[in-house]
Amino acid sequence: MERIIVAERLCRDYKVAAVSKNMIQYLFFRKHNILHAVKDVSFDINKGEMVGFVGPNGAGKSTTIKMLAGILVPTGGTVSVLGKDPFKFRKDNAFSVGAVFGQRTQLWWDLPISDTFLLLKKIYNIQDEIYEKNLCLFKKYLDLDSIWHQPVRQLSLGQRMRSEIAAAILHNPPLLFLDEPTIGLDIVAKRQIRDFIIELNDLYHTTVILTSHDMKDIEEICKRIIIIDKGTVMIDCSMENLQKKYSNSVTVNIRFAKGMDDLHFEMPGVHMEKQSESNSVSFRVDKTKISTGHLVFELSKYAEIIDIDIKEQSVEDIIHDIYLNGV
């Protein structure tokens, strides 16, 4: 596999002024503390991968992404993006990288989308055939037809974010950075953006690095997840392995042949949850203490079971548990 990104022991420190009650000392003899925003972060990303970069606020996600994009210089370690130092060759990499950083716009505020895209076509020297092909793709999946002649300042947040993503990949970059691309969007806009990113990867094998606090974005788009906390990588694995290795519980919904309003069931590692129907009961099961098969066997002694539905712990719940309890 071709490696698109190679980060080795990546670090980024900041000098923060120390608080002092002495105003003279603070102004003229100021002392500083060192804040380690990112420390010893290492990972490789292969061509065509879609990787979720996850962590709580202040974990170092955005700082790492900005170093990969060439916006920040590492204070330690090395990073290679598309075979080049992203900061030293930032101008060259601009033609091979697309980026959307939250709600920071790269569109011209008073120009309609159509004129903005024509300007980008000139800037990136995009061939007519590629330009027209991409416009058809954007209009199909991002619904740009309805806003094609509207100035950016008149667009809603969802419309603007769809336009931002389209502008970022107009020149067919092999690598795309998305930092909170669905923040503040409604369900419909989020769905459009998620579907488009998946389609983009299928068509062009675009490598996507995604940070988001919406775990639904990560769960639906990414096949691999990197969890970072306090500036260091905690977990780097596939989404499938995350579920297998770090999911400690499942929800088991049991439907009985008769009403079970008077059921009082107790077993170590099992918590009986609220019943939605008289003949349906949900159980939260700690997989480290009991198997679902044993639970079902014990419940079958109370009444005939006619349906079983097992739901794995959500990615959001797994990550929440990891933040609280560690790896």
Side-chain angles (χ1 to χ4, degrees):
M1 293 289 288
E2 181 186 352
R3 294 192 298 177
I4 295 288
I5 296 174
V6 180
E8 295 181 355
R9 306 199 68 179
L10 206 56
C11 299
R12 175 67 192 189
D13 298 336
Y14 292 99
K15 290 175 68 176
V16 181
V19 177
S20 175
K21 294 181 180 180
N22 187 318
M23 185 60 68
I24 300 298
Q25 183 180 354
Y26 181 76
L27 292 175
F28 299 103
F29 305 99
R30 188 176 302 182
K31 294 183 179 180
H32 293 85
N33 296 323
I34 301 298
L35 173 66
H36 303 290
V38 174
K39 48 188 176 183
D40 286 339
V41 166
S42 299
F43 55 83
D44 296 348
I45 294 176
N46 295 321
K47 180 177 174 60
E49 279 196 285
M50 294 203 287
V51 181
F53 210 65
V54 178
N57 290 328
K61 304 186 305 297
S62 294
T63 301
T64 303
I65 294 296
K66 287 174 182 176
M67 286 190 284
L68 298 180
I71 297 170
L72 291 176
V73 186
T75 51
T78 60
V79 59
S80 171
V81 175
L82 299 167
K84 299 176 181 178
D85 183 307
F87 187 79
K88 290 180 180 178
F89 295 92
R90 185 177 175 185
K91 188 175 181 180
D92 292 343
N93 270 12
F95 288 88
S96 302
V97 173
V100 176
F101 290 106
Q103 297 181 28
R104 296 180 184 178
T105 186
Q106 58 188 321
L107 306 173
W108 282 268
W109 196 243
D110 291 311
L111 291 182
I113 298 298
S114 55
D115 288 353
T116 296
F117 277 44
L118 282 173
L119 275 172
L120 291 171
K121 179 178 183 292
K122 294 291 184 182
I123 290 170
Y124 288 107
N125 195 25
I126 302 170
Q127 296 177 5
D128 292 343
E129 183 182 348
I130 295 174
Y131 180 74
E132 293 300 329
K133 182 180 179 181
N134 282 343
L135 286 192
C136 289
L137 185 70
F138 301 156
K139 290 178 180 181
K140 178 180 178 181
Y141 288 96
L142 296 177
D143 191 27
L144 295 191
D145 255 338
S146 60
I147 58 173
W148 193 239
H149 298 292
Q150 278 185 254
V152 173
R153 56 184 165 77
Q154 293 180 0
L155 302 180
S156 68
L157 177 59
Q159 291 170 334
R160 185 164 66 78
M161 288 308 298
R162 296 202 305 270
S163 303
E164 293 278 3
I165 292 174
I169 51 93
L170 185 64
H171 56 299
N172 277 2
L175 176 60
L176 178 62
F177 294 113
L178 297 174
D179 190 9
E180 301 287 356
T182 64
I183 189 170
L185 304 188
D186 61 32
I187 295 172
V188 175
K190 285 185 177 185
R191 169 59 58 190
Q192 283 181 310
I193 288 174
R194 288 169 186 159
D195 289 346
F196 176 70
I197 294 168
I198 294 168
E199 183 67 21
L200 183 70
N201 180 261
D202 286 341
L203 286 175
Y204 297 117
H205 304 292
T206 307
T207 305
V208 178
I209 315 299
L210 170 67
T211 73
S212 179
H213 286 296
D214 187 338
M215 288 302 107
K216 201 70 175 174
D217 289 348
I218 305 295
E219 200 167 355
E220 292 192 7
I221 294 171
C222 302
K223 298 289 177 63
R224 174 182 166 194
I225 187 168
I226 297 174
I227 301 177
I228 186 171
D229 191 22
K230 297 176 183 177
T232 61
V233 173
M234 295 177 67
I235 292 172
D236 181 356
C237 67
S238 67
M239 295 294 288
E240 184 180 358
N241 284 341
L242 183 77
Q243 287 276 6
K244 287 180 180 178
K245 188 174 181 180
Y246 298 100
S247 176
N248 295 322
S249 65
V250 292
T251 299
V252 181
N253 298 308
I254 304 287
R255 190 151 64 93
F256 295 93
K258 65 175 186 178
M260 300 294 288
D261 291 326
D262 58 345
L263 177 65
H264 296 287
F265 183 82
E266 292 185 5
M267 181 177 283
V270 178
H271 173 69
M272 190 169 74
E273 299 182 337
K274 186 178 180 181
Q275 299 173 211
S276 56
E277 302 173 15
S278 62
N279 65 333
S280 295
V281 188
S282 293
F283 300 89
R284 192 72 173 169
V285 181
D286 185 337
K287 294 190 296 185
T288 63
K289 296 181 179 179
I290 184 175
S291 69
T292 54
H294 187 197
L295 171 67
V296 171
F297 174 75
E298 291 297 327
L299 287 169
S300 65
K301 298 175 182 178
Y302 290 83
E304 180 188 354
I305 295 174
I306 58 175
D307 188 40
I308 302 170
D309 180 33
I310 300 175
K311 292 183 179 178
E312 291 289 341
Q313 193 176 11
S314 70
V315 171
E316 184 170 1
D317 288 339
I318 294 171
I319 294 173
H320 176 264
D321 289 346
I322 290 170
Y323 288 162
L324 287 180
N325 305 317
V327 179

